[in-house]
Amino acid sequence: MTAGAEQYLPATRGLRALRAAAATCRGCGLYENATQTVFGVGRRSAPLMLVGEQPGDREDRQGRPFVGPAGGLLARALDDAGISAEQTYQTNAVKHFKFTRTSGARRIHQKPGRTEVVACRPWLIAEIDAVHPRLVVALGATAAQALLGPSFRVSAHRGETLELPGDLGTRRRPRLLATVHPAAVLRDRSGDRDKAYRLFVEDLRRARDIVSSPPV
Ligand code: URA
Ligand code: SF4
């Protein structure tokens, strides 16, 4: 039975209990071929939560988010935006790696479908509740649509300060800012990768300003 992650959530919702429970999640079919659940990492009360799409090949092997090439770019951009890793909690919308194999046994990333995103969302909501960040930064469409619905377009609302919808089940609602995925900057198709990188850093600076402003 794979009816979503909800039935795997533990009674206590601290990060440690959540991480242990997520390790045995079978809420969708992705656990079958992936190596392990890649749960979020970072400070328990980090003011800034970064949400990517799903673990990649390296993340799947190491069991940590953002340890591959996209993570390298993200780390550099955070640094350039004046955000220290200690200020962040980093996770993904989907916690297992989805891929196809080439004949050479290379594992090629596949975008998670809406069913998988919805199945995995309870973990993300539980992480938001446990960490209670001031701001969630959605890195790319998958993360943004996990939280704001499938009709949300990053291109139309990039860099804006948004509210999480009230029906998500979070106890306390942080604000949300959507930007592009670091892998999209790496594989830039606009022909100006430096500019794509600069715009990404600008969005992260905006995020930094939001979390470092006095609480209202
Ligand atoms: N891309 C993501 O979205 N998440 C990771 O953890 C790594 C790459
Ligand atoms: Fe559970 Fe999410 Fe993994 Fe699916 S992707 S099995 S819902 S942790």
Side-chain angles (χ1 to χ4, degrees):
M1 245 277 282
T2 51
E6 198 70 49
Q7 59 188 311
Y8 297 92
L9 287 184
T12 53
R13 299 287 173 87
L15 278 180
R16 195 185 301 236
L18 287 169
R19 163 184 286 272
T24 62
C25 182
R26 297 183 163 204
C28 76
L30 293 185
Y31 76 91
E32 287 178 44
N33 297 318
T35 309
Q36 58 191 315
T37 305
V38 178
F39 206 67
V41 297
R43 230 179 69 204
R44 186 149 43 105
S45 55
L48 190 60
M49 183 183 286
L50 301 168
V51 185
E53 181 190 74
Q54 64 169 346
D57 181 77
R58 292 266 281 280
E59 289 81 13
D60 173 74
R61 292 174 203 275
Q62 294 186 31
R64 285 177 69 84
F66 295 111
V67 291
L73 186 135
L74 175 62
R76 185 159 67 90
L78 286 171
D79 198 43
D80 286 345
I83 298 168
S84 70
E86 298 77 62
Q87 283 178 290
T88 70
Y89 179 91
Q90 305 188 8
T91 192
N92 284 300
V94 170
K95 307 296 196 253
H96 275 104
F97 180 34
K98 182 176 183 179
F99 59 93
T100 50
R101 270 183 210 285
T102 60
S103 50
R106 229 161 62 82
R107 304 191 303 171
I108 307 292
H109 162 276
Q110 272 199 306
K111 199 175 149 60
R114 184 73 193 160
T115 316
E116 290 142 354
V117 169
V118 170
C120 211
R121 189 168 53 198
W123 295 121
L124 179 59
I125 300 302
E127 284 175 300
I128 294 174
D129 270 341
V131 175
H132 186 43
R134 285 189 69 186
L135 180 73
V136 173
V137 174
L139 301 168
T142 300
Q145 292 177 352
L147 294 167
L148 298 168
S151 55
F152 181 81
R153 294 288 169 264
V154 173
S155 51
H157 299 285
R158 178 173 183 176
E160 295 173 11
T161 308
L162 307 164
E163 298 284 329
L164 281 187
D167 61 357
L168 272 183
T170 51
R171 285 179 294 131
R172 299 168 294 194
R173 288 190 282 144
R175 287 188 281 176
L176 184 135
L177 182 147
T179 183
V180 295
H181 193 282
V185 180
L186 269 185
R187 292 187 260 98
D188 174 63
R189 276 182 283 211
S190 72
D192 190 346
R193 169 129 68 113
D194 289 347
K195 182 173 173 209
Y197 180 77
R198 269 200 317 277
L199 292 175
F200 184 53
V201 171
E202 241 170 60
D203 286 341
L204 293 176
R205 278 209 191 101
R206 232 169 255 143
R208 181 204 57 191
D209 291 346
I210 292 168
V211 299
S212 55
S213 65
V216 277

